[in-house]
Amino acid sequence: MLETLKNMFKVPEIRKRFIFTLLIIVVFRLGGQIPTPGIDPILLQSFFGSSSNNLFGMLDMFVGGAFTKASVFSLGVMPYISASIIIQMLGSVVPSLHKLQKEGQEGRKKITQLTRYGTLFLAAFQSVSVAIFLRSIQVQTEQGTVGVVLDILSGWQFMAITVISLTTGCMLVMWLGEQITSNGIGNGMSLLILFGIVAGLPQAVVAQSQLLAGKQSGLFNGVMILGIVLAMTAFIVYIYQAVRKIPIQTPKKTIGSRVAQGQSTVLPLKINSAGVIPIIFASSLMMLPSILTGIAPESAWARDMAMMFAPGAAVYVASFALLIVFFTYFYTAIIFNPIDISENLKKSGGFIPGVRPGKETADYIEKVLNCITLPGAVFLAFISVAPFVMMDKLGVSFFFGGTSVLIVVGVALDTLQRIEAKLQSHNYSGFMKKGHLRGRIG
């Protein structure tokens, strides 16, 4: 890994992409510090500081602390992710969208445009919910109970400014992520979430250290928390890199008067083929109940739903785990098509020993994929619900656990793999440019 990072700065193109990515991250972090107009930041911090709702911690984890600051970037990339989920699911049932998914580059452009429109709609809807929620916040002070919204704005003025600010901020975050994907290094949306999580780590470590220093949390608990996080990280790296290798045999070929020997290769299928996408998708959907309850926070149905889907509640944990399992299978089915793999093997003359080419090969690959996806899905679900146990049983003062570690590790490994691929591509291009082949031919 260190060798990869060292070589990265030796290649001008990759170095420029890396610097560009850092600049976009700086803009993202600066935008997360700009508060929505009409909010008293001191009263708002007082409210969130005294709140025990784990949902706020989870929201803050994905947006790098922007939610509890009522920043213009409070929504982060979640509306974009929700829109992506909806478009991908509709692609499985709507023929026109399914056709677009198979039209290559042009189809992807149209789907991206539809996703942007969906992001705009969801961002506007969520902005209304956030504005209503902010207006409902009451904080107890020496002067009595006051709201966090300043009196200089009327109700409709605050609603309009908040909706415009948050919706515009969300669209800007989406654009920043797309710029990283196009001109930077790695997947832009995943990197924005990654840096949002990493940005909260120093404050979380300080808070936990203060608890240990004040003897509010035992030293044994502190050591156990550190050990669990380290063990979880090692376990995630191990599972993330685990593959099931299917042997592939290539027969002998006669080229002119020469006979090319057959080769034995493998088709690697990762146990966790979906990566961190199922967790991000599931987390995005699990935030919808809180957004709906924000529309009418004082109503009985909103209070009941808030209790049922509060992070750590049995219904929330079960729903979260089931959604992760579902999205693991769903996303794996999207990125892996056994029929296409079987056809490609047949065209190249390759085959799986003991399995007939064609439909039987596709069925065999699908069977293996389903078998290895189940433990991968269970692994993701287990890692994701672990933070709630840590918070309740071990006295962890911050929302950090399997979900955070998995996203950080997964995105970091994916980014490193992309850098290595670009380095290999550069070496090949350099070999061609130096004229080695031309020299041999000439």
Side-chain angles (χ1 to χ4, degrees), residues 82-119:
S82 300
S84 299
I85 297 171
I86 295 172
I87 296 297
Q88 289 187 9
M89 294 185 70
L90 288 177
S92 302
V93 295
V94 179
S96 58
L97 284 177
H98 185 70
K99 184 179 179 181
L100 284 176
Q101 291 176 345
K102 293 191 173 183
E103 287 185 359
Q105 186 66 25
E106 289 300 319
R108 284 193 292 270
K109 286 182 179 179
K110 294 179 182 179
I111 290 176
T112 299
Q113 195 65 22
L114 290 174
T115 305
R116 290 170 180 167
Y117 289 135
T119 302

Side-chain angles (χ1 to χ4, degrees), residues 37 56 103 179 185 314:
F56 298 147
E103 287 185 359
Q179 293 305 303
I185 295 177

Side-chain angles (χ1 to χ4, degrees), residues 86-231:
I86 295 172
I87 296 297
Q88 289 187 9
M89 294 185 70
L90 288 177
S92 302
V93 295
V94 179
S96 58
L97 284 177
H98 185 70
K99 184 179 179 181
L100 284 176
Q101 291 176 345
K102 293 191 173 183
E103 287 185 359
Q105 186 66 25
E106 289 300 319
R108 284 193 292 270
K109 286 182 179 179
K110 294 179 182 179
I111 290 176
T112 299
Q113 195 65 22
L114 290 174
T115 305
R116 290 170 180 167
Y117 289 135
T119 302
L120 179 61
F121 172 78
L122 291 176
F125 174 75
Q126 294 182 16
S127 298
V128 173
S129 301
V130 173
I132 295 174
F133 169 71
L134 291 174
R135 281 185 56 80
S136 68
I137 295 178
Q138 299 290 321
V139 180
Q140 189 69 34
T141 64
E142 296 179 355
Q143 290 76 26
T145 303
V146 296
V148 299
V149 179
L150 300 177
D151 295 333
I152 58 175
L153 296 176
S154 63
W156 72 268
Q157 288 176 330
F158 175 76
M159 288 287 295
I161 291 175
T162 302
V163 171
I164 293 174
S165 299
L166 296 185
T167 303
T168 304
C170 176
M171 300 306 291
L172 179 57
V173 170
M174 181 190 70
W175 181 80
L176 293 175
E178 290 179 347
Q179 293 305 303
I180 292 177
T181 303
S182 301
N183 305 309
I185 295 177
N187 183 288
M189 302 303 171
S190 298
L191 283 175
L192 292 181
I193 295 177
L194 166 66
F195 280 93
I197 295 173
V198 172
L201 290 184
Q203 183 180 357
V205 172
V206 169
Q208 191 66 33
S209 300
Q210 290 175 346
L211 283 179
L212 292 174
K215 296 183 180 180
Q216 298 179 34
S217 177
L219 180 61
F220 176 76
N221 275 7
V223 175
M224 183 177 292
I225 292 169
L226 179 61
I228 289 176
V229 171
L230 293 177

Side-chain angles (χ1 to χ4, degrees), residues 25-26 41 43 54 97 99 115 117 130 194 200 204 208 238 289 299 301 311 332 348 359 394:
I25 296 299
V26 170
L43 291 178
N54 292 337
L97 284 177
K99 184 179 179 181
T115 305
Y117 289 135
V130 173
L194 166 66
Q208 191 66 33
Y238 175 76
S299 61
W301 69 268
T332 301
S348 63
K359 186 177 182 302
L394 300 178

Side-chain angles (χ1 to χ4, degrees), residues 39-47 139 148:
I39 296 290
D40 188 325
I42 298 177
L43 291 178
L44 187 67
Q45 289 297 317
S46 175
F47 169 77
V139 180
V148 299

Side-chain angles (χ1 to χ4, degrees), residues 424-436:
Q424 292 175 0
S425 174
H426 170 79
N427 290 336
Y428 180 75
S429 299
F431 176 76
M432 295 292 288
K433 289 178 181 178
K434 288 178 181 178
H436 291 270

Side-chain angles (χ1 to χ4, degrees), residues 229-353:
V229 171
L230 293 177
M232 194 177 294
T233 303
F235 183 52
I236 289 172
V237 173
Y238 175 76
I239 296 295
Y240 198 88
Q241 301 284 16
V243 295
R244 165 72 158 84
K245 297 180 180 179
I246 298 179
I248 303 294
Q249 185 69 39
T250 304
K252 295 181 179 180
K253 290 183 179 180
T254 302
I255 305 174
S257 60
R258 203 164 54 87
V259 178
Q261 295 295 324
Q263 294 181 347
S264 297
T265 59
V266 294
L267 174 65
L269 298 178
K270 297 182 68 174
I271 292 179
N272 182 24
S273 301
V276 300
I277 299 298
I279 290 182
I280 297 176
F281 278 8
S283 299
S284 180
L285 287 185
M286 291 307 298
M287 293 178 187
L288 290 180
S290 64
I291 294 171
L292 294 175
T293 57
I295 298 176
E298 300 300 326
S299 61
W301 69 268
R303 289 194 296 269
D304 292 341
M305 183 177 289
M307 290 180 61
M308 289 176 59
F309 288 94
V315 174
Y316 181 93
V317 172
S319 302
F320 193 28
L322 290 175
L323 279 175
I324 290 173
V325 173
F326 168 76
F327 280 120
T328 302
Y329 275 95
F330 176 75
Y331 194 74
T332 301
I334 290 177
I335 62 177
F336 276 104
N337 190 332
I339 297 177
D340 292 342
I341 297 175
S342 174
E343 290 179 354
N344 292 333
L345 285 175
K346 190 174 182 179
K347 290 177 182 178
S348 63
F351 64 93
I352 300 174

